Amino acid sequence: MSATIGLFYGSSTCYTEMAAEKIRDQLDALLGAGSVALHNVIDTPLSAMADYRYLIAGIPTWDYGELQEDWETRWDEFDTLQLSHCRAAVFGLGDQIGYPEWFQDALGYLWTRLQQSGATLAGEWPNSGYTFTGSQALTADQRAFVGLALDDENQFEQSDDKIAAWCRQLIAEFGLAG
Ligand SMILES: Cc1cc2nc3c(=O)[nH]c(=O)nc-3n(C[C@H](O)[C@H](O)[C@H](O)COP(=O)(O)O)c2cc1C
């Protein structure tokens, strides 16, 4: 069986990779084994995103509001990407205590690039329960993050429950419920 959902991520110190594996495991449990294919952007071109109708993309924010380095290397590939047949959702890793002015900025930049490529975005996440002073990852009305915001530095114990709830939300928003 070919996978239904392509999950693309970049990760410098493995936290985003661990979250990606947990999201894959959750969705596989709900939709059937092999439903999600993981792709680390360090060795997968972004053109592979176009092979999927459903996309998930994960990015941590680094260095005061910057992209994770492997995403940054591939960023220009978005210029020629056509994803108008795709439903997409994003998740990010960040540190709200260490970097409160730039919390999850890269999550917002990734969402914008996917939208510019024509994808229809899903998976907004409430911003209550976080403490920060600035973020480029908020929705226009500032009430939510554009995707799932995880903080394994300060709220590691919450991450599994957030991932489980977000995966159920995605299945409903993607219309994949059985
Ligand atoms: C030097 C450094 C800079 C960081 N800058 C930010 C930042 O600007 N905003 C943010 O939300 N998190 C920031 N973080 C936190 C990382 O996003 C967090 O550690 C994340 O879990 C790393 O994910 P990864 O292991 O997948 O690369 C920074 C961490 C380090 C060590």
Side-chain angles (χ1 to χ4, degrees), residues 8-9 36 40 43 52 55 61 65 69 80 85 90-91 97 104 108 112 116 118 120 122 126 129 131 135 159 169-170:
F8 293 74
Y9 69 92
V36 180
N40 189 331
D43 46 36
Y52 296 92
L55 288 173
T61 301
E69 58 186 337
T80 51
H85 59 292
V90 290
F91 71 96
I97 304 298
Q104 297 280 353
T112 298
Q116 287 169 342
T120 304
T131 305
S135 177
S159 290
Q169 177 183 332
L170 284 194

Side-chain angles (χ1 to χ4, degrees), residues 4-6 52-56 83-89 114 118-123 170 172-176:
T4 307
I5 302 172
Y52 296 92
R53 177 138 186 254
Y54 301 98
L55 288 173
I56 298 172
L83 299 175
S84 52
H85 59 292
C86 296
R87 300 290 315 270
L114 286 165
T120 304
L121 275 293
L170 284 194
E173 291 187 30
F174 283 168
L176 291 171

